[in-house]
């Protein structure tokens, strides 16, 4: 059976200063900001840098994340680890079903119901302690999201 996870949607990277980090990615690699927003619920300012389109109609991004609150997940992680790779996100056509199927294998999801992610997506996370030390995000986008 093919995997319901059809792309690397993004790699989440925690940083102290979003604007400085965007400049680094632009001048070093030539990546441009495709989309930027503040997600109050997640406690972040973020920028999505598009890397490539994918065969499922989606795309792969780097997600640069700066905390906007001391009690946010990103602020806590930065204070313990410093800047670096925070999570990987897989794209799926149906985040609810995909999450339920993985939960049924005994892995904890962080939310009972999907929440609001970047560019109008819906997201959930798998607990890193159940996933060999990797915080995994599951992302469902809509077709409109690809055009932003
Ligand atoms: N990757 C791998 N392991 C991680 C981790 C990460 N990003 N974050 C925490 N851990 C590990 C810690 O190392 C720790 O392990 P030990 O017990 O062995 O020391 C354990 O998980 C508990 O960590 P903690 O620092 O006490 O943090 P919390 O349990 O309070 O929170 C988590 C961890 C994953 C539940 C929290 O970060 C969370 O809710 N994340 C989901 C939301 C999120 O990350 N939002 C920002 C991104 C938004 C977006 O992508 O749009
Ligand atoms: Co993310």
């Amino acid at each position: 059976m093919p995997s319901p996870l059809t792309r690397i949607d993004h790699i989440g990277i925690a940083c102290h200063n979003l604007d400085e980090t965007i400049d680094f990615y632009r001048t070093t690699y030539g990546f441009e900001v495709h989309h930027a927003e503040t997600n109050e619920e997640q406690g972040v300012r973020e920028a999505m840098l598009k890397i490539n389109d994918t065969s499922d109609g989606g795309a792969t991004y780097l997600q640069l994340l700066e905390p906007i609150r001391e009690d946010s997940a990103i602020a806590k992680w930065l204070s313990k680890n410093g800047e670096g790779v925070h999570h990987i996100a897989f794209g799926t056509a149906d985040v609810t079903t995909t999450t339920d199927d993985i939960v049924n294998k005994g892995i904890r999801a962080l939310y009972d119901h999907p929440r609001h992610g970047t560019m109008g997506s819906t997201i959930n996370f798998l607990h890193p302690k159940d996933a060999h030390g990797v915080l995994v995000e599951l992302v469902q986008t809509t077709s409109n999201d690809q055009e932003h």
Side-chain angles (χ1 to χ4, degrees):
M1 203 173 107
S3 173
L5 305 171
T6 50
R7 64 182 179 277
I8 303 267
D9 186 273
H10 63 267
I11 297 172
I13 297 169
C15 63
H16 291 297
N17 184 310
L18 185 62
D19 298 329
E20 272 179 34
T21 309
I22 288 170
D23 275 349
F24 172 83
Y25 277 84
R26 182 186 296 115
T27 57
T28 309
Y29 308 117
F31 297 145
E32 299 290 344
V33 175
H34 177 83
H35 174 87
E37 70 181 77
T38 296
N39 186 328
E40 296 287 346
E41 184 178 44
Q42 293 292 335
V44 294
R45 277 179 73 215
E46 58 162 89
M48 298 294 273
L49 314 182
K50 188 168 171 179
I51 310 301
N52 58 273
D53 292 309
T54 54
S55 58
D56 62 357
T60 296
Y61 302 87
L62 298 182
Q63 180 184 41
L64 306 180
L65 299 151
E66 177 195 285
I68 56 169
R69 291 197 308 270
E70 278 313 306
D71 64 350
S72 64
I74 291 293
K76 185 173 187 184
W77 192 86
L78 273 169
S79 69
K80 286 174 96 169
N81 304 283
E83 295 186 314
V85 174
H86 177 258
H87 64 272
I88 63 171
F90 295 123
T92 174
D94 182 343
V95 69
T96 301
T97 303
T98 300
T99 304
D100 288 349
D101 288 348
I102 293 173
V103 166
N104 285 335
K105 297 177 190 187
I107 293 142
R108 282 170 291 170
L110 296 186
Y111 310 140
D112 290 337
H113 301 287
R115 293 190 183 174
H116 165 68
T118 189
M119 294 189 284
S121 61
T122 47
I123 61 173
N124 208 329
F125 290 88
L126 306 177
H127 201 291
K129 304 310 281 186
D130 293 353
H132 289 262
V134 178
L135 176 60
V136 172
E137 180 181 349
L138 306 173
V139 183
Q140 177 181 344
T141 53
T142 64
S143 52
N144 280 343
D145 300 334
Q146 316 301 343
E147 293 159 18
H148 288 188

